[in-house]
Amino acid sequence: QLLLYMRCLQLLSQTLEFARSELKSKRLKPSTSVKNTLATLNERFRHCLSMSKMLNAENILAESGIDPNDTSFTADRILYHYAIEQCQSAALDELFNNPGECVQRYQAAHVILHALQFQTGSQEDKSTLSKYKDAVEKRLHILEEQGYVYAYETISN
């Protein structure tokens, strides 16, 4: 759990920084949805930080000989599998006409794949992650054309 919380802290930090740069460059509009999403990301960041401190209160990583800087590979692998699982679940939600759930799952997978793409040093992994991320973007675009998403804002039925 500690490894995942630590990795989430890194990814949330990067995502928040990316959003700030997109807002600053005016490529991302400060809509209510964007503001709510950023507030949620900030809340999750604070939660992950609190949980990381609590789980590592007894300095578990240092005592076990694990270098906190070397833990990202394992955590990234867990996150990658989670993103793929989210895509599979989203596809089933889409198949069974549950667009609200599928949009949220696709969006979660998109964020994770985007973050992982910029974390890996392997060009092969970057290419694979890019392909998956592009496929998720296409699904979100199709859902947008069907009226379920407006600039990645979910429309409830």
Side-chain angles (χ1 to χ4, degrees), residues 9-25:
L9 280 171
Q10 292 172 337
L11 295 174
L12 285 166
S13 176
Q14 280 189 316
T15 302
L16 288 166
E17 184 57 39
F18 176 72
R20 276 188 212 108
S21 69
E22 292 296 298
L23 283 165
K24 188 175 182 179
S25 68

Side-chain angles (χ1 to χ4, degrees), residues 4-13 45 48-49 52:
L4 286 174
Y5 278 119
M6 290 173 64
R7 190 63 178 137
C8 285
L9 280 171
Q10 292 172 337
L11 295 174
L12 285 166
S13 176
F45 181 87
C48 288
L49 183 60
S52 294

Side-chain angles (χ1 to χ4, degrees), residues 10-11 23 27 29 43-44 48 51 66 70 88 92 96 101 107-108 116 123-124 138-139 144 147-149:
Q10 292 172 337
L11 295 174
L23 283 165
R27 288 186 295 254
K29 295 182 177 26
E43 179 183 315
R44 289 182 182 170
C48 288
M51 291 301 294
I66 296 174
D70 292 339
Q88 291 168 340
L92 288 173
F96 292 111
E101 286 293 316
Q107 287 173 334
L116 291 174
Q123 194 56 43
E124 183 180 341
K138 286 177 186 173
R139 294 308 314 152
E144 181 180 5
Y148 295 114
V149 180

Side-chain angles (χ1 to χ4, degrees), residues 36-55:
N36 289 340
T37 301
L38 290 175
T40 300
L41 289 173
N42 274 315
E43 179 183 315
R44 289 182 182 170
F45 181 87
R46 288 189 300 277
H47 173 73
C48 288
L49 183 60
S50 172
M51 291 301 294
S52 294
K53 287 179 180 178
M54 183 188 75
L55 290 170

Side-chain angles (χ1 to χ4, degrees), residues 75-94:
D76 285 355
R77 187 176 207 110
I78 293 168
L79 289 169
Y80 168 78
H81 287 291
Y82 177 75
I84 297 302
E85 183 181 297
Q86 289 297 296
C87 289
Q88 291 168 340
S89 296
L92 288 173
D93 285 335
E94 200 172 349

